[in-house]
mmCIF file of all heavy atoms in Angstrom:
data_model
loop_
_atom_site.group_PDB
_atom_site.id
_atom_site.type_symbol
_atom_site.label_atom_id
_atom_site.label_comp_id
_atom_site.label_asym_id
_atom_site.label_seq_id
_atom_site.Cartn_x
_atom_site.Cartn_y
_atom_site.Cartn_z
ATOM 1 N N VAL A 188 108.282 31.406 -45.643
ATOM 2 C CA VAL A 188 108.556 30.277 -46.489
ATOM 3 C C VAL A 188 109.895 29.687 -46.151
ATOM 4 O O VAL A 188 110.655 30.175 -45.525
ATOM 5 C CB VAL A 188 108.650 30.835 -48.044
ATOM 6 C CG1 VAL A 188 107.367 31.376 -48.498
ATOM 7 C CG2 VAL A 188 109.747 31.818 -48.104
ATOM 8 N N LYS A 189 109.976 28.365 -46.536
ATOM 9 C CA LYS A 189 111.145 27.577 -46.210
ATOM 10 C C LYS A 189 112.227 28.045 -47.079
ATOM 11 O O LYS A 189 112.125 28.229 -48.342
ATOM 12 C CB LYS A 189 110.802 26.067 -46.428
ATOM 13 C CG LYS A 189 112.000 25.205 -46.137
ATOM 14 C CD LYS A 189 111.636 23.797 -46.413
ATOM 15 C CE LYS A 189 112.868 22.868 -46.342
ATOM 16 N NZ LYS A 189 113.264 22.151 -47.491
ATOM 17 N N PRO A 190 113.398 28.382 -46.376
ATOM 18 C CA PRO A 190 114.590 28.880 -47.235
ATOM 19 C C PRO A 190 115.117 27.683 -48.080
ATOM 20 O O PRO A 190 114.984 26.516 -47.676
ATOM 21 C CB PRO A 190 115.544 29.388 -46.300
ATOM 22 C CG PRO A 190 115.204 28.639 -44.975
ATOM 23 C CD PRO A 190 113.746 28.434 -45.102
ATOM 24 N N LEU A 191 115.879 28.053 -49.119
ATOM 25 C CA LEU A 191 116.412 27.127 -50.055
ATOM 26 C C LEU A 191 117.801 26.792 -49.475
ATOM 27 O O LEU A 191 118.480 27.648 -48.763
ATOM 28 C CB LEU A 191 116.639 27.696 -51.384
ATOM 29 C CG LEU A 191 115.339 27.981 -52.133
ATOM 30 C CD1 LEU A 191 115.723 28.757 -53.534
ATOM 31 C CD2 LEU A 191 114.559 26.663 -52.468
ATOM 32 N N SER A 192 118.406 25.653 -49.723
ATOM 33 C CA SER A 192 119.817 25.374 -49.341
ATOM 34 C C SER A 192 120.629 26.137 -50.327
ATOM 35 O O SER A 192 120.214 26.559 -51.322
ATOM 36 C CB SER A 192 120.027 23.800 -49.506
ATOM 37 O OG SER A 192 120.039 23.397 -50.761
ATOM 38 N N ALA A 193 121.848 26.081 -50.008
ATOM 39 C CA ALA A 193 122.868 26.747 -50.848
ATOM 40 C C ALA A 193 122.912 26.120 -52.227
ATOM 41 O O ALA A 193 123.007 26.909 -53.259
ATOM 42 C CB ALA A 193 124.310 26.737 -50.220
ATOM 43 N N ASP A 194 122.834 24.795 -52.455
ATOM 44 C CA ASP A 194 122.852 24.186 -53.641
ATOM 45 C C ASP A 194 121.534 24.457 -54.404
ATOM 46 O O ASP A 194 121.589 24.776 -55.648
ATOM 47 C CB ASP A 194 123.018 22.631 -53.443
ATOM 48 C CG ASP A 194 124.411 22.211 -53.058
ATOM 49 O OD1 ASP A 194 125.329 23.075 -53.339
ATOM 50 O OD2 ASP A 194 124.533 21.202 -52.461
ATOM 51 N N GLU A 195 120.283 24.534 -53.700
ATOM 52 C CA GLU A 195 119.073 24.808 -54.373
ATOM 53 C C GLU A 195 119.059 26.240 -54.883
ATOM 54 O O GLU A 195 118.559 26.491 -55.838
ATOM 55 C CB GLU A 195 117.909 24.564 -53.416
ATOM 56 C CG GLU A 195 117.692 23.210 -53.024
ATOM 57 C CD GLU A 195 116.612 23.022 -51.993
ATOM 58 O OE1 GLU A 195 116.667 23.842 -51.032
ATOM 59 O OE2 GLU A 195 115.848 22.025 -51.987
ATOM 60 N N GLU A 196 119.773 27.154 -54.122
ATOM 61 C CA GLU A 196 119.733 28.547 -54.528
ATOM 62 C C GLU A 196 120.266 28.601 -55.995
ATOM 63 O O GLU A 196 119.921 29.641 -56.745
ATOM 64 C CB GLU A 196 120.577 29.387 -53.617
ATOM 65 C CG GLU A 196 119.787 29.695 -52.290
ATOM 66 C CD GLU A 196 120.696 30.496 -51.359
ATOM 67 O OE1 GLU A 196 121.858 30.727 -51.745
ATOM 68 O OE2 GLU A 196 120.187 30.842 -50.320
ATOM 69 N N LYS A 197 121.280 27.937 -56.301
ATOM 70 C CA LYS A 197 121.893 28.033 -57.719
ATOM 71 C C LYS A 197 121.002 27.595 -58.839
ATOM 72 O O LYS A 197 121.222 28.159 -59.928
ATOM 73 C CB LYS A 197 123.170 27.145 -57.656
ATOM 74 C CG LYS A 197 124.129 27.498 -56.590
ATOM 75 C CD LYS A 197 125.304 26.547 -56.677
ATOM 76 C CE LYS A 197 126.245 26.945 -55.449
ATOM 77 N NZ LYS A 197 127.235 25.845 -55.358
ATOM 78 N N THR A 198 120.005 26.752 -58.637
ATOM 79 C CA THR A 198 119.183 26.141 -59.686
ATOM 80 C C THR A 198 117.710 26.354 -59.670
ATOM 81 O O THR A 198 117.069 26.162 -60.675
ATOM 82 C CB THR A 198 119.630 24.700 -59.963
ATOM 83 O OG1 THR A 198 119.311 24.042 -58.801
ATOM 84 C CG2 THR A 198 121.121 24.536 -60.331
ATOM 85 N N SER A 199 117.212 26.441 -58.411
ATOM 86 C CA SER A 199 115.805 26.387 -58.173
ATOM 87 C C SER A 199 115.066 27.626 -58.586
ATOM 88 O O SER A 199 115.428 28.801 -58.347
ATOM 89 C CB SER A 199 115.452 26.139 -56.784
ATOM 90 O OG SER A 199 114.111 26.085 -56.511
ATOM 91 N N LEU A 200 114.039 27.342 -59.327
ATOM 92 C CA LEU A 200 113.080 28.461 -59.726
ATOM 93 C C LEU A 200 112.164 28.985 -58.469
ATOM 94 O O LEU A 200 111.501 29.987 -58.661
ATOM 95 C CB LEU A 200 112.214 28.033 -60.928
ATOM 96 C CG LEU A 200 112.958 27.763 -62.213
ATOM 97 C CD1 LEU A 200 111.912 27.268 -63.270
ATOM 98 C CD2 LEU A 200 113.626 29.005 -62.737
ATOM 99 N N GLN A 201 112.240 28.181 -57.393
ATOM 100 C CA GLN A 201 111.613 28.629 -56.180
ATOM 101 C C GLN A 201 112.119 29.931 -55.744
ATOM 102 O O GLN A 201 111.408 30.718 -54.860
ATOM 103 C CB GLN A 201 111.746 27.562 -55.136
ATOM 104 C CG GLN A 201 111.047 27.798 -53.907
ATOM 105 C CD GLN A 201 109.560 27.849 -53.911
ATOM 106 O OE1 GLN A 201 108.981 27.489 -55.005
ATOM 107 N NE2 GLN A 201 108.916 28.354 -52.933
ATOM 108 N N PHE A 202 113.290 30.330 -56.074
ATOM 109 C CA PHE A 202 113.813 31.537 -55.788
ATOM 110 C C PHE A 202 112.966 32.762 -56.041
ATOM 111 O O PHE A 202 112.743 33.684 -55.228
ATOM 112 C CB PHE A 202 115.213 31.853 -56.544
ATOM 113 C CG PHE A 202 115.694 33.262 -56.474
ATOM 114 C CD1 PHE A 202 116.365 33.780 -55.351
ATOM 115 C CD2 PHE A 202 115.382 34.117 -57.482
ATOM 116 C CE1 PHE A 202 116.786 35.122 -55.322
ATOM 117 C CE2 PHE A 202 115.848 35.561 -57.442
ATOM 118 C CZ PHE A 202 116.446 35.910 -56.381
ATOM 119 N N PHE A 203 112.187 32.744 -57.168
ATOM 120 C CA PHE A 203 111.363 33.821 -57.578
ATOM 121 C C PHE A 203 109.997 33.804 -56.711
ATOM 122 O O PHE A 203 109.622 34.958 -56.318
ATOM 123 C CB PHE A 203 111.004 33.655 -59.046
ATOM 124 C CG PHE A 203 112.148 33.716 -59.927
ATOM 125 C CD1 PHE A 203 112.750 32.793 -60.496
ATOM 126 C CD2 PHE A 203 112.637 35.042 -60.237
ATOM 127 C CE1 PHE A 203 113.847 32.906 -61.349
ATOM 128 C CE2 PHE A 203 113.671 35.273 -60.961
ATOM 129 C CZ PHE A 203 114.250 34.181 -61.584
ATOM 130 N N ASN A 204 109.629 32.657 -56.281
ATOM 131 C CA ASN A 204 108.506 32.717 -55.260
ATOM 132 C C ASN A 204 108.941 33.311 -53.955
ATOM 133 O O ASN A 204 108.228 34.132 -53.349
ATOM 134 C CB ASN A 204 107.956 31.285 -55.003
ATOM 135 C CG ASN A 204 107.310 30.725 -56.258
ATOM 136 O OD1 ASN A 204 106.694 31.496 -57.000
ATOM 137 N ND2 ASN A 204 107.357 29.448 -56.467
ATOM 138 N N ILE A 205 110.139 33.026 -53.503
ATOM 139 C CA ILE A 205 110.618 33.568 -52.234
ATOM 140 C C ILE A 205 110.833 35.054 -52.328
ATOM 141 O O ILE A 205 110.479 35.778 -51.535
ATOM 142 C CB ILE A 205 111.910 32.799 -51.811
ATOM 143 C CG1 ILE A 205 111.682 31.293 -51.587
ATOM 144 C CG2 ILE A 205 112.610 33.487 -50.634
ATOM 145 C CD1 ILE A 205 112.892 30.498 -51.294
ATOM 146 N N LEU A 206 111.414 35.410 -53.456
ATOM 147 C CA LEU A 206 111.710 36.855 -53.707
ATOM 148 C C LEU A 206 110.335 37.612 -53.740
ATOM 149 O O LEU A 206 110.219 38.623 -53.167
ATOM 150 C CB LEU A 206 112.304 37.053 -55.081
ATOM 151 C CG LEU A 206 112.595 38.533 -55.528
ATOM 152 C CD1 LEU A 206 113.524 39.214 -54.500
ATOM 153 C CD2 LEU A 206 113.187 38.522 -56.884
ATOM 154 N N ASN A 207 109.290 37.148 -54.351
ATOM 155 C CA ASN A 207 107.958 37.692 -54.383
ATOM 156 C C ASN A 207 107.448 37.836 -52.910
ATOM 157 O O ASN A 207 106.819 38.839 -52.609
ATOM 158 C CB ASN A 207 107.039 36.845 -55.254
ATOM 159 C CG ASN A 207 105.694 37.539 -55.411
ATOM 160 O OD1 ASN A 207 105.621 38.702 -55.755
ATOM 161 N ND2 ASN A 207 104.684 36.791 -55.292
ATOM 162 N N PHE A 208 107.616 36.791 -52.083
ATOM 163 C CA PHE A 208 107.217 36.747 -50.725
ATOM 164 C C PHE A 208 107.824 37.824 -49.975
ATOM 165 O O PHE A 208 107.216 38.676 -49.273
ATOM 166 C CB PHE A 208 107.394 35.444 -50.132
ATOM 167 C CG PHE A 208 107.174 35.361 -48.664
ATOM 168 C CD1 PHE A 208 105.942 35.308 -48.153
ATOM 169 C CD2 PHE A 208 108.233 35.447 -47.686
ATOM 170 C CE1 PHE A 208 105.609 35.232 -46.806
ATOM 171 C CE2 PHE A 208 108.013 35.380 -46.358
ATOM 172 C CZ PHE A 208 106.653 35.345 -45.895
ATOM 173 N N VAL A 209 109.187 37.922 -50.130
ATOM 174 C CA VAL A 209 109.947 38.921 -49.271
ATOM 175 C C VAL A 209 109.574 40.308 -49.752
ATOM 176 O O VAL A 209 109.601 41.288 -48.892
ATOM 177 C CB VAL A 209 111.473 38.648 -49.398
ATOM 178 C CG1 VAL A 209 112.321 39.755 -48.815
ATOM 179 C CG2 VAL A 209 111.818 37.334 -48.799
ATOM 180 N N LEU A 210 109.415 40.603 -50.964
ATOM 181 C CA LEU A 210 109.189 41.997 -51.411
ATOM 182 C C LEU A 210 107.913 42.569 -50.889
ATOM 183 O O LEU A 210 107.807 43.846 -50.829
ATOM 184 C CB LEU A 210 109.140 41.969 -53.004
ATOM 185 C CG LEU A 210 110.518 41.805 -53.595
ATOM 186 C CD1 LEU A 210 110.437 41.775 -55.132
ATOM 187 C CD2 LEU A 210 111.440 42.981 -53.303
#
Side-chain angles (χ1 to χ4, degrees):
V188 295
K189 180 181 172 238
L191 298 173
S192 69
D194 287 334
E195 290 173 322
E196 285 179 356
K197 298 174 187 175
T198 59
S199 177
L200 293 177
Q201 181 66 11
F202 165 81
F203 296 102
N204 292 330
I205 295 171
L206 179 62
N207 187 48
F208 172 79
V209 171
L210 287 176

